[in-house]
C-alpha cells in the first residue's frame, strides 16, 4: 500500500494500540514524522508535535536549512541566575518549559476538566 505522512500521524495518535500513551502518570513526550523524497532536488520535510500527547497535538512542518532561527515560542527560556551554571550546580530549579509546551499543558488541563 501507499503510506502517507497523514497515515503515520494517525498511527502515532492511536491510544488503543498503546503507541500513544496517556495513562498512569506517563504520557508520550512528542512525536515526529519525516517525509524523505526519492528526488534529491526536493527537501525533506519533518513534522514535529513539540508537545506531549500526539492525539491532542498538531504536527508542525519543518525543513532544515542553513541560517534558520528558531521561533521564540519553542525555545526554552534562559536565566541570568541559571542553576545549571552556578556552583554548586542545581541548588534551585527553574521552569524551562517553552511557551508552546506551557500553552499545550494548559489546554490539556482544560480538556481534562471538561471530561
Amino acid at each position: 500500500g501507499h503510506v502517507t505522512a497523514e497515515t503515520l500521524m494517525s498511527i502515532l495518535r492511536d491510544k488503543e494500540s498503546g503507541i500513544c500513551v496517556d495513562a498512569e502518570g506517563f504520557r508520550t513526550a512528542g512525536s515526529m514524522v519525516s517525509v524523505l523524497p526519492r528526488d534529491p532536488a526536493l527537501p525533506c520535510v519533518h513534522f514535529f508535535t513539540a508537545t506531549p500527547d500526539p492525539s491532542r497535538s498538531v504536527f508542525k512542518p519543518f525543513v532544515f536549512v542553513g541560517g534558520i532561527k528558531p521561533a521564540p515560542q519553542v525555545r526554552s527560556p534562559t536565566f541570568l541566575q541559571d542553576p545549571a551554571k552556578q556552583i554548586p550546580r542545581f541548588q534551585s530549579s527553574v521552569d524551562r518549559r517553552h511557551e508552546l509546551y506551557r500553552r499545550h499543558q494548559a489546554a490539556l488541563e482544560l480538556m481534562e476538566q471538561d471530561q
Side-chain angles (χ1 to χ4, degrees), residues 23-99:
E24 299 175 20
F26 183 79
R27 184 176 285 154
T28 299
S31 295
M32 178 181 105
V33 172
S34 295
V35 176
L36 311 173
R38 293 179 190 221
D39 182 348
L42 297 174
C44 297
V45 180
H46 309 276
F47 296 86
F48 298 93
T49 59
T51 53
D53 194 350
S55 72
R56 298 177 177 170
S57 298
V58 175
F59 282 83
K60 294 156 280 299
F62 187 82
V63 177
F64 289 93
V65 295
I68 188 112
K69 294 181 182 176
Q73 296 85 354
V74 295
R75 292 186 75 182
S76 293
T78 57
F79 303 92
L80 292 175
Q81 302 295 321
D82 192 332
K85 297 177 182 174
Q86 306 229 334
I87 297 181
R89 296 179 69 199
F90 300 110
Q91 298 300 301
S92 61
S93 62
V94 292
D95 186 357
R96 296 185 187 279
R97 299 176 303 164
H98 57 68
E99 183 67 21

